[in-house]
């Protein structure tokens, strides 16, 4: 799909959707400020976890690929547990109250949502994924989450078996 056709679909808003879109953006701004602190704590705690094996090289493509696939896998399970646990669902449910999926729905989450995800990612530290790689992958994955919240009917084939897709 060309960017000329994709961008209007990402930001297409009907008049009745403006209030929800503005809510999503406002929640995202507040959450974004809170996430600066939370993500900083994530990295600090992550860095304090001793690796069970010798640290992987931060400059190796294989380390980044392992970290990206591992992060995505662990994110899937964190998200699934948020749907199954009453307490975690209480922090996550606001995300699912949107009436239509668009690029702003990823911004719609409780302040505590990010903090509740941290324990799920600590296995990467135990596997020796360096803190810098973890931080880079976390940022890339956070940006990719906008993709997951698009209403798309496109099939991603075999890729759907190994990573989160819409």
């Amino acid at each position: 799909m060309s960017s000329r056709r994709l961008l209007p679909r990402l930001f297409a808003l009907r008049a009745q959707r403006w209030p929800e879109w503005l809510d999503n953006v406002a929640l995202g701004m507040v959450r974004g400020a809170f996430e600066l602190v939370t993500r900083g704590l994530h990295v600090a705690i992550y860095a304090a976890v001793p690796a069970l094996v010798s640290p992987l090289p931060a400059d190796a493509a294989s380390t980044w690929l392992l970290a990206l696939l591992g992060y995505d896998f662990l994110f899937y399970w964190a998200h699934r547990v948020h749907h199954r646990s009453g307490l975690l669902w209480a922090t996550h449910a606001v995300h699912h109250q949107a009436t239509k999926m668009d690029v702003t729905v990823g911004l719609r989450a409780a302040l505590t949502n990010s903090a509740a995800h941290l324990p799920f990612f600590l296995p990467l530290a135990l596997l020796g994924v360096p803190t810098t790689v973890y931080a880079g992958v976390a940022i890339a994955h956070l940006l990719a989450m906008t993709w997951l919240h698009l209403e798309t009917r496109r099939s991603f084939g075999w890729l759907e078996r190994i990573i989160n897709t819409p």
Side-chain angles (χ1 to χ4, degrees):
M1 181 179 289
S2 73
S3 63
R4 184 174 279 180
R5 288 186 355 200
L6 180 60
L7 287 178
R9 287 183 66 196
L10 289 179
F11 296 100
L13 292 174
R14 294 192 177 101
Q16 70 269 23
R17 294 232 31 254
W18 273 104
E20 182 178 320
W21 190 87
L22 291 172
D23 283 347
N24 293 348
V25 171
L27 282 168
M29 289 171 47
V30 170
R31 187 174 148 235
F34 188 76
E35 289 244 350
L36 289 174
V37 174
T38 320
R39 295 289 174 157
L41 288 172
H42 273 216
V43 172
I45 292 168
Y46 183 95
V49 174
L52 295 175
V53 296
S54 53
L56 300 170
D59 59 350
S62 58
T63 300
W64 284 86
L65 183 61
L66 169 76
L68 187 58
L69 292 174
Y71 191 100
D72 192 63
F73 176 78
L74 295 169
F75 182 86
Y76 167 82
W77 283 103
H79 187 243
R80 190 169 174 148
V81 169
H82 275 71
H83 280 251
R84 302 273 185 211
S85 161
L87 178 62
L88 294 176
W89 175 250
T91 71
H92 184 70
V94 67
H95 174 72
H96 289 276
Q97 293 172 346
T99 59
K100 194 102 164 128
M101 296 296 275
D102 66 25
V103 74
T104 67
V105 173
L107 300 172
R108 186 183 189 100
L111 296 179
T112 56
N113 199 50
S114 178
H117 275 80
L118 175 62
F120 293 93
F121 299 116
L122 295 180
L124 293 174
L126 296 172
L127 291 174
V129 173
T131 305
T132 54
V133 175
Y134 167 76
V137 164
I139 291 167
H141 197 269
L142 184 62
L143 294 173
M145 288 297 99
T146 58
W147 176 50
L148 286 180
H149 295 96
L150 299 179
E151 286 186 354
T152 181
R153 304 221 187 318
R154 172 184 240 164
S155 172
F156 292 91
W158 62 271
L159 200 55
E160 292 179 350
R161 294 182 187 161
I162 59 170
I163 66 168
N164 289 302
T165 64

